[in-house]
mmCIF file of all heavy atoms in Angstrom:
data_model
loop_
_atom_site.group_PDB
_atom_site.id
_atom_site.type_symbol
_atom_site.label_atom_id
_atom_site.label_comp_id
_atom_site.label_asym_id
_atom_site.label_seq_id
_atom_site.Cartn_x
_atom_site.Cartn_y
_atom_site.Cartn_z
ATOM 1 N N GLN M 49 -9.268 -8.113 -7.094
ATOM 2 C CA GLN M 49 -8.441 -7.760 -8.169
ATOM 3 C C GLN M 49 -8.733 -8.619 -9.428
ATOM 4 O O GLN M 49 -9.302 -9.712 -9.314
ATOM 5 C CB GLN M 49 -6.970 -7.820 -7.809
ATOM 6 C CG GLN M 49 -6.498 -9.159 -7.277
ATOM 7 C CD GLN M 49 -5.032 -9.100 -6.800
ATOM 8 O OE1 GLN M 49 -4.253 -8.291 -7.243
ATOM 9 N NE2 GLN M 49 -4.674 -10.035 -5.881
ATOM 10 N N SER M 50 -8.266 -8.123 -10.559
ATOM 11 C CA SER M 50 -8.517 -8.802 -11.813
ATOM 12 C C SER M 50 -7.756 -10.122 -11.853
ATOM 13 O O SER M 50 -6.600 -10.221 -11.459
ATOM 14 C CB SER M 50 -8.064 -7.938 -12.944
ATOM 15 O OG SER M 50 -8.099 -8.643 -14.157
ATOM 16 N N ALA M 51 -8.461 -11.169 -12.360
ATOM 17 C CA ALA M 51 -7.808 -12.437 -12.463
ATOM 18 C C ALA M 51 -6.855 -12.452 -13.641
ATOM 19 O O ALA M 51 -5.831 -13.219 -13.665
ATOM 20 C CB ALA M 51 -8.872 -13.561 -12.639
ATOM 21 N N ALA M 52 -7.065 -11.668 -14.670
ATOM 22 C CA ALA M 52 -6.277 -11.726 -15.860
ATOM 23 C C ALA M 52 -5.272 -10.520 -15.932
ATOM 24 O O ALA M 52 -4.231 -10.670 -16.587
ATOM 25 C CB ALA M 52 -7.144 -11.717 -17.103
ATOM 26 N N GLY M 53 -5.606 -9.426 -15.328
ATOM 27 C CA GLY M 53 -4.773 -8.206 -15.449
ATOM 28 C C GLY M 53 -3.615 -8.269 -14.451
ATOM 29 O O GLY M 53 -3.254 -9.313 -13.867
ATOM 30 N N TYR M 54 -3.023 -7.058 -14.181
ATOM 31 C CA TYR M 54 -1.919 -6.988 -13.262
ATOM 32 C C TYR M 54 -2.443 -7.319 -11.854
ATOM 33 O O TYR M 54 -3.406 -6.816 -11.401
ATOM 34 C CB TYR M 54 -1.339 -5.585 -13.301
ATOM 35 C CG TYR M 54 -0.209 -5.405 -12.296
ATOM 36 C CD1 TYR M 54 1.075 -5.802 -12.603
ATOM 37 C CD2 TYR M 54 -0.414 -4.793 -11.044
ATOM 38 C CE1 TYR M 54 2.124 -5.677 -11.695
ATOM 39 C CE2 TYR M 54 0.568 -4.665 -10.137
ATOM 40 C CZ TYR M 54 1.884 -5.106 -10.489
ATOM 41 O OH TYR M 54 2.893 -4.986 -9.571
ATOM 42 N N ARG M 55 -1.650 -8.159 -11.201
ATOM 43 C CA ARG M 55 -2.033 -8.600 -9.829
ATOM 44 C C ARG M 55 -0.926 -8.202 -8.880
ATOM 45 O O ARG M 55 0.251 -8.356 -9.128
ATOM 46 C CB ARG M 55 -2.285 -10.121 -9.806
ATOM 47 C CG ARG M 55 -3.479 -10.533 -10.628
ATOM 48 C CD ARG M 55 -3.627 -12.043 -10.690
ATOM 49 N NE ARG M 55 -3.830 -12.607 -9.373
ATOM 50 C CZ ARG M 55 -5.012 -12.626 -8.732
ATOM 51 N NH1 ARG M 55 -6.106 -12.068 -9.276
ATOM 52 N NH2 ARG M 55 -5.138 -13.182 -7.511
ATOM 53 N N ALA M 56 -1.360 -7.665 -7.692
ATOM 54 C CA ALA M 56 -0.383 -7.243 -6.701
ATOM 55 C C ALA M 56 0.410 -8.338 -6.145
ATOM 56 O O ALA M 56 -0.091 -9.477 -6.017
ATOM 57 C CB ALA M 56 -1.156 -6.532 -5.564
ATOM 58 N N GLY M 57 1.650 -8.088 -5.894
ATOM 59 C CA GLY M 57 2.527 -9.119 -5.392
ATOM 60 C C GLY M 57 3.438 -8.636 -4.254
ATOM 61 O O GLY M 57 3.094 -7.741 -3.478
ATOM 62 N N LEU M 58 4.645 -9.149 -4.247
ATOM 63 C CA LEU M 58 5.620 -8.869 -3.151
ATOM 64 C C LEU M 58 6.001 -7.372 -3.138
ATOM 65 O O LEU M 58 6.169 -6.823 -2.027
ATOM 66 C CB LEU M 58 6.866 -9.679 -3.305
ATOM 67 C CG LEU M 58 6.756 -11.173 -2.918
ATOM 68 C CD1 LEU M 58 8.058 -11.909 -3.240
ATOM 69 C CD2 LEU M 58 6.436 -11.316 -1.429
ATOM 70 N N ASP M 59 6.149 -6.765 -4.277
ATOM 71 C CA ASP M 59 6.545 -5.369 -4.327
ATOM 72 C C ASP M 59 5.588 -4.459 -3.546
ATOM 73 O O ASP M 59 5.977 -3.586 -2.770
ATOM 74 C CB ASP M 59 6.667 -4.870 -5.719
ATOM 75 C CG ASP M 59 7.812 -5.586 -6.447
ATOM 76 O OD1 ASP M 59 8.799 -6.020 -5.787
ATOM 77 O OD2 ASP M 59 7.770 -5.695 -7.721
ATOM 78 N N ALA M 60 4.295 -4.729 -3.739
ATOM 79 C CA ALA M 60 3.258 -3.926 -3.042
ATOM 80 C C ALA M 60 3.324 -4.201 -1.523
ATOM 81 O O ALA M 60 3.235 -3.235 -0.737
ATOM 82 C CB ALA M 60 1.883 -4.238 -3.547
ATOM 83 N N ALA M 61 3.556 -5.448 -1.156
ATOM 84 C CA ALA M 61 3.629 -5.777 0.275
ATOM 85 C C ALA M 61 4.854 -5.092 0.913
ATOM 86 O O ALA M 61 4.801 -4.610 2.042
ATOM 87 C CB ALA M 61 3.709 -7.268 0.408
ATOM 88 N N LEU M 62 5.993 -5.131 0.211
ATOM 89 C CA LEU M 62 7.202 -4.519 0.761
ATOM 90 C C LEU M 62 7.065 -3.014 0.809
ATOM 91 O O LEU M 62 7.567 -2.364 1.778
ATOM 92 C CB LEU M 62 8.388 -4.919 -0.126
ATOM 93 C CG LEU M 62 8.767 -6.388 -0.097
ATOM 94 C CD1 LEU M 62 9.886 -6.735 -1.074
ATOM 95 C CD2 LEU M 62 9.198 -6.853 1.326
ATOM 96 N N LEU M 63 6.507 -2.408 -0.156
ATOM 97 C CA LEU M 63 6.284 -0.985 -0.143
ATOM 98 C C LEU M 63 5.436 -0.568 1.071
ATOM 99 O O LEU M 63 5.745 0.372 1.799
ATOM 100 C CB LEU M 63 5.652 -0.516 -1.443
ATOM 101 C CG LEU M 63 5.354 0.975 -1.558
ATOM 102 C CD1 LEU M 63 6.630 1.819 -1.535
ATOM 103 C CD2 LEU M 63 4.561 1.328 -2.801
ATOM 104 N N ALA M 64 4.324 -1.297 1.299
ATOM 105 C CA ALA M 64 3.468 -0.958 2.403
ATOM 106 C C ALA M 64 4.199 -1.121 3.751
ATOM 107 O O ALA M 64 4.034 -0.326 4.678
ATOM 108 C CB ALA M 64 2.247 -1.913 2.408
ATOM 109 N N SER M 65 5.085 -2.138 3.836
ATOM 110 C CA SER M 65 5.826 -2.352 5.072
ATOM 111 C C SER M 65 6.847 -1.255 5.360
ATOM 112 O O SER M 65 7.299 -1.108 6.450
ATOM 113 C CB SER M 65 6.524 -3.721 5.034
ATOM 114 O OG SER M 65 7.638 -3.720 4.156
ATOM 115 N N ALA M 66 7.253 -0.569 4.295
ATOM 116 C CA ALA M 66 8.259 0.479 4.456
ATOM 117 C C ALA M 66 7.619 1.833 4.758
ATOM 118 O O ALA M 66 8.315 2.784 5.030
ATOM 119 C CB ALA M 66 9.068 0.602 3.147
ATOM 120 N N CYS M 67 6.314 1.910 4.769
ATOM 121 C CA CYS M 67 5.618 3.160 5.066
ATOM 122 C C CYS M 67 5.706 3.403 6.596
ATOM 123 O O CYS M 67 5.191 2.561 7.355
ATOM 124 C CB CYS M 67 4.195 3.125 4.596
ATOM 125 S SG CYS M 67 3.238 4.570 5.066
ATOM 126 N N ASP M 68 6.309 4.472 6.969
ATOM 127 C CA ASP M 68 6.437 4.754 8.398
ATOM 128 C C ASP M 68 5.731 6.051 8.866
ATOM 129 O O ASP M 68 6.149 6.777 9.745
ATOM 130 C CB ASP M 68 7.954 4.862 8.794
ATOM 131 C CG ASP M 68 8.667 5.988 8.066
ATOM 132 O OD1 ASP M 68 8.098 6.558 7.091
ATOM 133 O OD2 ASP M 68 9.834 6.276 8.372
ATOM 134 N N ALA M 69 4.615 6.311 8.190
ATOM 135 C CA ALA M 69 3.796 7.498 8.512
ATOM 136 C C ALA M 69 3.340 7.532 9.965
ATOM 137 O O ALA M 69 2.939 6.479 10.496
ATOM 138 C CB ALA M 69 2.615 7.623 7.568
ATOM 139 N N GLY M 70 3.434 8.658 10.591
ATOM 140 C CA GLY M 70 3.036 8.825 11.979
ATOM 141 C C GLY M 70 1.616 9.264 12.064
ATOM 142 O O GLY M 70 0.898 9.531 11.056
ATOM 143 N N ASP M 71 1.116 9.313 13.312
ATOM 144 C CA ASP M 71 -0.301 9.765 13.549
ATOM 145 C C ASP M 71 -0.484 11.162 12.971
ATOM 146 O O ASP M 71 0.374 12.080 13.217
ATOM 147 C CB ASP M 71 -0.592 9.732 15.045
ATOM 148 C CG ASP M 71 -0.622 8.337 15.587
ATOM 149 O OD1 ASP M 71 -0.631 7.369 14.835
ATOM 150 O OD2 ASP M 71 -0.707 8.173 16.847
ATOM 151 N N GLY M 72 -1.567 11.348 12.245
ATOM 152 C CA GLY M 72 -1.884 12.620 11.714
ATOM 153 C C GLY M 72 -1.252 12.922 10.384
ATOM 154 O O GLY M 72 -1.578 13.896 9.724
ATOM 155 N N ASP M 73 -0.300 12.086 9.894
ATOM 156 C CA ASP M 73 0.348 12.295 8.627
ATOM 157 C C ASP M 73 -0.590 11.974 7.447
ATOM 158 O O ASP M 73 -1.512 11.162 7.589
ATOM 159 C CB ASP M 73 1.539 11.428 8.470
ATOM 160 C CG ASP M 73 2.785 11.939 9.251
ATOM 161 O OD1 ASP M 73 2.671 13.061 9.782
ATOM 162 O OD2 ASP M 73 3.796 11.228 9.342
ATOM 163 N N ARG M 74 -0.388 12.672 6.339
ATOM 164 C CA ARG M 74 -1.111 12.452 5.123
ATOM 165 C C ARG M 74 -0.128 11.819 4.114
ATOM 166 O O ARG M 74 0.952 12.367 3.915
ATOM 167 C CB ARG M 74 -1.708 13.710 4.588
ATOM 168 C CG ARG M 74 -2.784 14.333 5.491
ATOM 169 C CD ARG M 74 -3.183 15.699 5.008
ATOM 170 N NE ARG M 74 -3.691 15.707 3.620
ATOM 171 C CZ ARG M 74 -3.052 16.225 2.571
ATOM 172 N NH1 ARG M 74 -1.883 16.721 2.723
ATOM 173 N NH2 ARG M 74 -3.561 16.129 1.338
ATOM 174 N N VAL M 75 -0.544 10.708 3.493
ATOM 175 C CA VAL M 75 0.325 9.986 2.606
ATOM 176 C C VAL M 75 -0.367 9.812 1.251
ATOM 177 O O VAL M 75 -1.546 9.463 1.217
ATOM 178 C CB VAL M 75 0.662 8.567 3.167
ATOM 179 C CG1 VAL M 75 1.614 7.805 2.294
ATOM 180 C CG2 VAL M 75 1.189 8.666 4.633
ATOM 181 N N ILE M 76 0.335 9.987 0.172
ATOM 182 C CA ILE M 76 -0.222 9.697 -1.163
ATOM 183 C C ILE M 76 0.614 8.591 -1.768
ATOM 184 O O ILE M 76 1.787 8.512 -1.675
ATOM 185 C CB ILE M 76 -0.209 10.976 -2.055
ATOM 186 C CG1 ILE M 76 -0.904 10.699 -3.376
ATOM 187 C CG2 ILE M 76 1.188 11.532 -2.234
ATOM 188 C CD1 ILE M 76 -1.210 11.917 -4.207
ATOM 189 N N GLU M 77 -0.149 7.662 -2.439
ATOM 190 C CA GLU M 77 0.516 6.632 -3.249
ATOM 191 C C GLU M 77 0.244 6.952 -4.723
ATOM 192 O O GLU M 77 -0.913 7.019 -5.132
ATOM 193 C CB GLU M 77 0.070 5.237 -2.937
ATOM 194 C CG GLU M 77 0.843 4.212 -3.780
ATOM 195 C CD GLU M 77 0.292 2.799 -3.733
ATOM 196 O OE1 GLU M 77 -0.727 2.565 -3.054
ATOM 197 O OE2 GLU M 77 0.920 1.914 -4.362
ATOM 198 N N ALA M 78 1.250 7.108 -5.511
ATOM 199 C CA ALA M 78 1.099 7.318 -6.979
ATOM 200 C C ALA M 78 1.043 5.944 -7.648
ATOM 201 O O ALA M 78 1.923 5.110 -7.478
ATOM 202 C CB ALA M 78 2.291 8.136 -7.521
ATOM 203 N N GLY M 79 -0.019 5.771 -8.458
ATOM 204 C CA GLY M 79 -0.200 4.486 -9.125
ATOM 205 C C GLY M 79 -0.633 3.403 -8.184
ATOM 206 O O GLY M 79 0.001 2.368 -8.073
ATOM 207 N N CYS M 80 -1.765 3.626 -7.526
ATOM 208 C CA CYS M 80 -2.186 2.712 -6.455
ATOM 209 C C CYS M 80 -2.831 1.455 -6.972
ATOM 210 O O CYS M 80 -3.068 0.502 -6.194
ATOM 211 C CB CYS M 80 -3.080 3.414 -5.467
ATOM 212 S SG CYS M 80 -4.722 3.813 -6.129
ATOM 213 N N GLY M 81 -3.216 1.374 -8.241
ATOM 214 C CA GLY M 81 -3.850 0.194 -8.763
ATOM 215 C C GLY M 81 -5.168 -0.089 -8.012
ATOM 216 O O GLY M 81 -5.929 0.848 -7.770
ATOM 217 N N VAL M 82 -5.381 -1.351 -7.620
ATOM 218 C CA VAL M 82 -6.592 -1.663 -6.898
ATOM 219 C C VAL M 82 -6.451 -1.433 -5.380
ATOM 220 O O VAL M 82 -7.390 -1.764 -4.638
ATOM 221 C CB VAL M 82 -7.065 -3.128 -7.184
ATOM 222 C CG1 VAL M 82 -7.328 -3.259 -8.678
ATOM 223 C CG2 VAL M 82 -6.029 -4.141 -6.705
ATOM 224 N N GLY M 83 -5.285 -0.974 -4.930
ATOM 225 C CA GLY M 83 -5.111 -0.590 -3.519
ATOM 226 C C GLY M 83 -4.368 -1.522 -2.676
ATOM 227 O O GLY M 83 -4.459 -1.421 -1.404
ATOM 228 N N ALA M 84 -3.562 -2.438 -3.264
ATOM 229 C CA ALA M 84 -2.855 -3.416 -2.434
ATOM 230 C C ALA M 84 -1.924 -2.782 -1.421
ATOM 231 O O ALA M 84 -2.050 -3.017 -0.183
ATOM 232 C CB ALA M 84 -2.105 -4.428 -3.334
ATOM 233 N N ALA M 85 -0.996 -1.969 -1.872
ATOM 234 C CA ALA M 85 -0.075 -1.294 -0.985
ATOM 235 C C ALA M 85 -0.753 -0.233 -0.170
ATOM 236 O O ALA M 85 -0.489 -0.081 1.074
ATOM 237 C CB ALA M 85 1.079 -0.692 -1.786
ATOM 238 N N LEU M 86 -1.669 0.508 -0.759
ATOM 239 C CA LEU M 86 -2.395 1.554 -0.116
ATOM 240 C C LEU M 86 -3.120 1.076 1.119
ATOM 241 O O LEU M 86 -3.024 1.639 2.218
ATOM 242 C CB LEU M 86 -3.347 2.173 -1.117
ATOM 243 C CG LEU M 86 -4.083 3.455 -0.676
ATOM 244 C CD1 LEU M 86 -3.162 4.661 -0.583
ATOM 245 C CD2 LEU M 86 -5.238 3.736 -1.670
ATOM 246 N N LEU M 87 -3.883 -0.011 0.939
ATOM 247 C CA LEU M 87 -4.721 -0.505 2.037
ATOM 248 C C LEU M 87 -3.866 -1.217 3.091
ATOM 249 O O LEU M 87 -4.194 -1.202 4.295
ATOM 250 C CB LEU M 87 -5.801 -1.443 1.464
ATOM 251 C CG LEU M 87 -6.744 -0.704 0.513
ATOM 252 C CD1 LEU M 87 -7.757 -1.730 -0.044
ATOM 253 C CD2 LEU M 87 -7.463 0.456 1.166
ATOM 254 N N ALA M 88 -2.834 -1.918 2.629
ATOM 255 C CA ALA M 88 -1.941 -2.590 3.642
ATOM 256 C C ALA M 88 -1.233 -1.534 4.455
ATOM 257 O O ALA M 88 -1.122 -1.684 5.716
ATOM 258 C CB ALA M 88 -0.942 -3.485 2.933
ATOM 259 N N ALA M 89 -0.784 -0.435 3.847
ATOM 260 C CA ALA M 89 -0.114 0.605 4.598
ATOM 261 C C ALA M 89 -1.080 1.313 5.563
ATOM 262 O O ALA M 89 -0.746 1.595 6.722
ATOM 263 C CB ALA M 89 0.484 1.645 3.652
ATOM 264 N N ALA M 90 -2.334 1.520 5.089
ATOM 265 C CA ALA M 90 -3.333 2.142 5.956
ATOM 266 C C ALA M 90 -3.688 1.215 7.130
ATOM 267 O O ALA M 90 -3.902 1.711 8.273
ATOM 268 C CB ALA M 90 -4.597 2.430 5.143
ATOM 269 N N THR M 91 -3.644 -0.038 6.948
ATOM 270 C CA THR M 91 -3.908 -1.018 7.997
ATOM 271 C C THR M 91 -2.780 -1.009 9.015
ATOM 272 O O THR M 91 -2.965 -1.051 10.272
ATOM 273 C CB THR M 91 -4.158 -2.411 7.464
ATOM 274 O OG1 THR M 91 -5.287 -2.380 6.577
ATOM 275 C CG2 THR M 91 -4.383 -3.434 8.566
ATOM 276 N N ARG M 92 -1.542 -0.942 8.507
ATOM 277 C CA ARG M 92 -0.368 -0.923 9.389
ATOM 278 C C ARG M 92 -0.292 0.389 10.177
ATOM 279 O O ARG M 92 0.254 0.427 11.253
ATOM 280 C CB ARG M 92 0.912 -1.064 8.522
ATOM 281 C CG ARG M 92 1.175 -2.468 8.007
ATOM 282 C CD ARG M 92 2.367 -2.433 7.070
ATOM 283 N NE ARG M 92 2.866 -3.739 6.664
ATOM 284 C CZ ARG M 92 3.729 -4.477 7.320
ATOM 285 N NH1 ARG M 92 4.254 -4.034 8.440
ATOM 286 N NH2 ARG M 92 4.125 -5.646 6.872
ATOM 287 N N ARG M 93 -0.710 1.496 9.548
ATOM 288 C CA ARG M 93 -0.595 2.811 10.159
ATOM 289 C C ARG M 93 -1.973 3.426 10.378
ATOM 290 O O ARG M 93 -2.399 4.355 9.666
ATOM 291 C CB ARG M 93 0.242 3.679 9.226
ATOM 292 C CG ARG M 93 1.654 3.168 8.956
ATOM 293 C CD ARG M 93 2.498 3.287 10.176
ATOM 294 N NE ARG M 93 3.806 2.648 10.016
ATOM 295 C CZ ARG M 93 4.747 2.660 10.911
ATOM 296 N NH1 ARG M 93 4.616 3.339 12.081
ATOM 297 N NH2 ARG M 93 5.903 1.997 10.735
ATOM 298 N N PRO M 94 -2.683 3.022 11.458
ATOM 299 C CA PRO M 94 -4.015 3.437 11.681
ATOM 300 C C PRO M 94 -4.213 4.896 12.021
ATOM 301 O O PRO M 94 -5.323 5.426 11.970
ATOM 302 C CB PRO M 94 -4.443 2.549 12.844
ATOM 303 C CG PRO M 94 -3.239 2.090 13.553
ATOM 304 C CD PRO M 94 -2.204 2.034 12.477
#
């Protein structure tokens, strides 16, 4: 991620932790930035 621009923080981590998608579900994140919440949620929900 950018050293000077917007940097992912607690909000992205909490959003990812709240994703409860099940197997086979399709999930969209609006405004994903560099992917902090998106990738954490994908890791949590394989």
Side-chain angles (χ1 to χ4, degrees):
Q49 55 185 336
S50 170
Y54 179 81
R55 293 175 62 79
L58 285 175
D59 294 333
L62 294 174
L63 179 64
S65 73
C67 176
D68 59 350
D71 290 351
D73 282 352
R74 296 171 58 252
V75 184
I76 185 169
E77 183 190 3
C80 70
V82 301
L86 186 70
L87 299 177
T91 300
R92 285 175 172 272
R93 300 290 173 177

